[in-house]
Every structure is written in structure tokens, then in C-alpha cells.
């Protein structure tokens, strides 16, 4: 198969070389017509340049030796010799289904934040290698954790977790190792970020957190629990989508906290209950849902446009009452330097 310059096939080989093994759904991240991308992907697979790993609920792909050689040859034909040394080494891959799930999630998170979010990102594999230089055993549990990387905003650092298609249990040793690594850095911890493949996965977390919110700490102490949002750990929840990528861009900006406060102050009513998820966190909504309220007291909810499907799923499950007034802002406006407008 011939790889033409600036073709969709060349672009797919570039992405596969730059990020390594990836889940099939990241093809929707690309700024190209999906039908064209799907057609080029199938041709590359038939040519033996890409290979697929399948398991129940999982489909990932990686670039083969033949695909990497074809990509390098295409780059050498289309660029000057001084740029040949900039071609990345062939990335690691695995045909083992369970390892493929873990590896592709790490790479998907990197692509989400670096490619869509355009923000500084370091993967958990890179962090693990740093830890191994100091103490080989200190990083052992990271491979069992859902921890996939970190982003920085100034000196503030957020740890990133990928939960796949629903709520999951965090590995306590992996959590401990990640926390120890964070304390050794010259950084300030800020919000943890939880990624899921779909909005339904986020609602799984919210529904489970709502159940846990009504339990005492003593009642939860001896139970093995999936992840739930608490007052102490009010994480940011994000679906892995192109629209949510704008949030990742905005979240990494120095003026992000000030912008959120500005928008909330403008949307806050003079009286009644005000709820906002503009910072990506849902604790205010969970607390509201956990209590009975006077129906005569007005409620006002402010969200981003990419969070609307989350509200739809909350309504479908009967967790959020009908008729709650809602304002939605376009997150893409903020990333493009425009005052965010209402949906």
C-alpha cells in the first residue's frame, strides 16, 4: 500500500506512532470526516500496517513493523534530511487483551489532554520510570492503579484517572504511590480528574456517590467500595469526547479559576438554590439530590454544553427532578478567546 503525503492514511500512521496503542474510539477525536478515517483505517489493517486487539468491551490498535517502516519512508520522501531524526521510535504495544486495555487507556488519556486539550501532560508510564530510578519497588503498584497521568497548571498538579466504561475500584497501594510521588515534587495538588468513555460512566459514579453520601463513615469503613465522590475528594468528571477536550484546554489555563467564578457570579440568582458544575465538579448537585427541598424554593443550575448529556442520563434514571432551570455555556467560546455564551 502506498502512503501519500498529507493523506488520511499517513495521518493515522502519524497518530499511531506518536501515541502508541490506542482504543478504536479515538478516531472520533481526529478533525477529519469519520467515514474517511474509517475507510483509511480499514485499508491500513488489510495492508498489515495496523493491527487490532479485541476483547469483550474493548478494541484497540497499534502500528506494526511494516506500518512503521512505511511511515518512516513516507516522511523521508516528504521532508528534508534534517527532520528525519525527529521521527519517534516505534511505540510499545501488546497483543495481551488485559494489558492492551491498560496501555490503550494510558495513551488515550495522553491524546485527550495533549492532542485535544493542548496542555502539558505526563503519562503514568513516564512517572513510573522516574520512580524506578529512585526506588525500583516504589512504583510496583502503579501498574494496577487506574492512575494514567498528570497535568500542570502553573505549580498546581492534577492526577488523572481513566475508569473506562463505568465506575471502578481504585488500587490503594497505587494511590499511595501516586501520592508519595506528588509530595516529592515541587507542586501543589489540585483537583483529581476522572475520565470515562461515555457520559453514562460518569452518571454511574454520581449515582454510586449519592448512595455513599447518605452512609456514615462507620458504615463504609469495612466495605470494599468502588470510587465515590466525597467532600474531601470532589473530583472533576469528564467524558472522553472532543467537546470535553475544550474543557481540558480551559482547565489548564492560569486564569481558569477566576473565569469560573466570574461566570458563576453572573449566573447566580438573587435568591433560591444555585448549583454549578462549571468547575467540572458535581458535589453541589449531589448534596442537593440527597436532601428534600421545599418545592416553592427556586433552583437554578449552570453547566457547560458538553455536560448536557449527563443531565439527560440523570433525568432518565430518575435521579434529577424534572423542571430544574438550567443555563448551559459553550466551553469552546472560552477556549477561542470569546466571552462564553449561553447554549
Amino acid at each position: 500500500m502506498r502512503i501519500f503525503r498529507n493523506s488520511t492514511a499517513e495521518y493515522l500512521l502519524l497518530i499511531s506512532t506518536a501515541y502508541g496503542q490506542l482504543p478504536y474510539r479515538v478516531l472520533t477525536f481526529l478533525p477529519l470526516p469519520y467515514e474517511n478515517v474509517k475507510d483509511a483505517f480499514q485499508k491500513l489493517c488489510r495492508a498489515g500496517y495496523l493491527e487490532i486487539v479485541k476483547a469483550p468491551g474493548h478494541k484497540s490498535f497499534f502500528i506494526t513493523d511494516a506500518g512503521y517502516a512505511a511511515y518512516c519512508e513516507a516522511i523521508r520522501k516528504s521532508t528534508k534530511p534534517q527532520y528525519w531524526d525527529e521521527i519517534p521510535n516505534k511505540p510499545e504495544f501488546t497483543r495481551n487483551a488485559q494489558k492492551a486495555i491498560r496501555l490503550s487507556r494510558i495513551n488515550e488519556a495522553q491524546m485527550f489532554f495533549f492532542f485535544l486539550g493542548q496542555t502539558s501532560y505526563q503519562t503514568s508510564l513516564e512517572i513510573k520510570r522516574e520512580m524506578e530510578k529512585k526506588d525500583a519497588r516504589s512504583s510496583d503498584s502503579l501498574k494496577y492503579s487506574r492512575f494514567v497521568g498528570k497535568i500542570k497548571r502553573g505549580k498546581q498538579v492534577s492526577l488523572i484517572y481513566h475508569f473506562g466504561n463505568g465506575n471502578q475500584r481504585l488500587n490503594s497501594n497505587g494511590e499511595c504511590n501516586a501520592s508519595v510521588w506528588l509530595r516529592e515534587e515541587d507542586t501543589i495538588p489540585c483537583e483529581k480528574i476522572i475520565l470515562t468513555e461515555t457520559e453514562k460512566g460518569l452518571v454511574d459514579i454520581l449515582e454510586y456517590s449519592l448512595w455513599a453520601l447518605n452512609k456514615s463513615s462507620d458504615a463504609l469503613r469495612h466495605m470494599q467500595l468502588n470510587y465515590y465522590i466525597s467532600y474531601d475528594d470532589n473530583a472533576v468528571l469528564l467524558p472522553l469526547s472532543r467537546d470535553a477536550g475544550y474543557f481540558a484546554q480551559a482547565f489548564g489555563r492560569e486564569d481558569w479559576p477566576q473565569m469560573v467564578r466570574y461566570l458563576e457570579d453572573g449566573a447566580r440568582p438573587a435568591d433560591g438554590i444555585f448549583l454549578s458544575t462549571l468547575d467540572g465538579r458535581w458535589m453541589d448537585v449531589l448534596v442537593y439530590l440527597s436532601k428534600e427541598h421545599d418545592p416553592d424554593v427556586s433552583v437554578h443550575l449552570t453547566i457547560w454544553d458538553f455536560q448536557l448529556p449527563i443531565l439527560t442520563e440523570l433525568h432518565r434514571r430518575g435521579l434529577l427532578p424534572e423542571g430544574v432551570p438550567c443555563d448551559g455555556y459553550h466551553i469552546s467560546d472560552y477556549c477561542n478567546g470569546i466571552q462564553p455564551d449561553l447554549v
Side-chain angles (χ1 to χ4, degrees), residues 208 211-225 228:
Y208 191 79
W211 168 83
L213 199 63
N214 293 317
K215 304 291 183 183
S216 68
S217 56
D218 289 338
L220 298 174
R221 184 175 301 165
H222 301 295
M223 300 175 66
Q224 284 195 328
L225 298 169
Y228 64 93

Side-chain angles (χ1 to χ4, degrees), residues 56-233:
H58 172 79
K59 182 179 179 181
S60 65
F61 64 92
F62 60 85
I63 190 168
T64 63
D65 290 341
Y68 181 70
Y71 172 68
C72 293
E73 183 63 22
I75 293 299
R76 290 191 180 99
K77 287 181 178 179
S78 62
T79 62
K80 297 179 180 179
Q82 60 262 38
Y83 296 109
W84 295 354
D85 293 337
E86 298 178 8
I87 301 174
N89 294 328
K90 184 177 181 294
E92 58 184 285
F93 69 92
T94 178
R95 292 184 175 88
N96 179 283
Q98 291 305 311
K99 291 180 180 179
I101 292 172
R102 170 74 178 148
L103 180 59
S104 64
R105 284 179 180 172
I106 292 172
N107 295 334
E108 180 182 25
Q110 181 187 25
M111 189 172 175
F112 176 78
F113 282 102
F114 189 77
F115 181 75
L116 292 182
Q118 300 174 16
T119 188
S120 172
Y121 189 82
Q122 187 178 25
T123 71
S124 58
L125 292 176
E126 293 167 338
I127 292 169
K128 188 174 187 292
R129 293 185 190 108
E130 288 183 2
M131 295 174 70
E132 286 171 344
K133 292 177 182 177
K134 299 177 182 178
D135 182 354
R137 299 202 53 157
S138 68
S139 62
D140 284 351
S141 294
L142 278 186
K143 61 186 176 182
Y144 303 113
S145 176
R146 307 304 175 192
F147 172 56
V148 292
K150 60 95 172 170
I151 60 171
K152 291 185 70 175
R153 182 177 63 230
K155 281 201 168 186
Q156 290 189 322
V157 169
S158 287
L159 301 183
I160 314 299
Y161 296 79
H162 193 325
F163 279 6
N165 59 4
N167 201 359
Q168 295 185 5
R169 189 170 300 159
L170 292 179
N171 176 271
S172 56
N173 290 333
E175 284 293 285
C176 181
N177 285 340
S179 299
V180 168
W181 168 80
L182 191 61
R183 286 197 299 269
E184 292 176 352
E185 299 290 307
D186 183 24
T187 54
I188 303 168
C190 67
E191 302 94 329
K192 179 185 295 181
I193 298 179
I194 306 293
L195 305 174
T196 64
E197 294 171 8
T198 65
E199 291 83 3
K200 289 183 179 180
L202 296 183
V203 178
D204 287 345
I205 296 173
L206 293 174
E207 186 172 15
Y208 191 79
S209 300
L210 186 59
W211 168 83
L213 199 63
N214 293 317
K215 304 291 183 183
S216 68
S217 56
D218 289 338
L220 298 174
R221 184 175 301 165
H222 301 295
M223 300 175 66
Q224 284 195 328
L225 298 169
N226 286 339
Y227 175 77
Y228 64 93
I229 299 171
S230 66
Y231 289 100
D232 296 330
D233 187 16

Side-chain angles (χ1 to χ4, degrees), residues 25-39:
R25 63 182 166 273
V26 302
L27 299 182
T28 61
F29 289 178
L30 305 182
L32 299 169
Y34 179 68
E35 289 302 318
N36 293 352
V37 172
K38 185 170 67 172
D39 182 57

Side-chain angles (χ1 to χ4, degrees), residues 169-326:
R169 189 170 300 159
L170 292 179
N171 176 271
S172 56
N173 290 333
E175 284 293 285
C176 181
N177 285 340
S179 299
V180 168
W181 168 80
L182 191 61
R183 286 197 299 269
E184 292 176 352
E185 299 290 307
D186 183 24
T187 54
I188 303 168
C190 67
E191 302 94 329
K192 179 185 295 181
I193 298 179
I194 306 293
L195 305 174
T196 64
E197 294 171 8
T198 65
E199 291 83 3
K200 289 183 179 180
L202 296 183
V203 178
D204 287 345
I205 296 173
L206 293 174
E207 186 172 15
Y208 191 79
S209 300
L210 186 59
W211 168 83
L213 199 63
N214 293 317
K215 304 291 183 183
S216 68
S217 56
D218 289 338
L220 298 174
R221 184 175 301 165
H222 301 295
M223 300 175 66
Q224 284 195 328
L225 298 169
N226 286 339
Y227 175 77
Y228 64 93
I229 299 171
S230 66
Y231 289 100
D232 296 330
D233 187 16
N234 189 7
V236 172
L237 302 181
L238 289 180
L240 284 156
S241 66
R242 288 194 66 183
D243 290 338
Y246 286 113
F247 182 95
Q249 288 184 39
F251 186 86
R253 290 173 53 162
E254 295 274 358
D255 64 344
W256 169 248
Q258 292 77 18
M259 186 52 157
V260 168
R261 285 195 294 270
Y262 172 77
L263 291 176
E264 287 179 342
D265 289 344
R268 195 183 307 274
D271 54 18
I273 299 172
F274 177 67
L275 307 173
S276 171
T277 62
L278 295 183
D279 61 359
R281 297 180 289 184
W282 287 77
M283 179 55 75
D284 288 347
V285 176
L286 287 176
V287 171
Y288 167 74
L289 295 177
S290 70
K291 299 176 181 178
E292 292 188 7
H293 295 279
D294 185 343
D296 295 328
V297 176
S298 62
V299 181
H300 190 83
L301 174 61
T302 300
I303 65 173
W304 293 113
D305 50 355
F306 74 88
Q307 296 171 324
L308 286 170
I310 300 174
L311 290 192
T312 301
E313 182 64 14
L314 286 171
H315 283 304
R316 192 189 69 79
R317 298 190 190 187
L319 299 175
L320 186 67
E322 296 286 347
V324 175
C326 174

Side-chain angles (χ1 to χ4, degrees), residues 40-68:
F41 181 86
Q42 291 171 348
K43 289 179 179 178
L44 289 170
C45 289
R46 287 196 294 269
Y49 291 173
L50 294 179
E51 188 172 325
I52 297 173
V53 176
K54 289 184 179 180
H58 172 79
K59 182 179 179 181
S60 65
F61 64 92
F62 60 85
I63 190 168
T64 63
D65 290 341
Y68 181 70

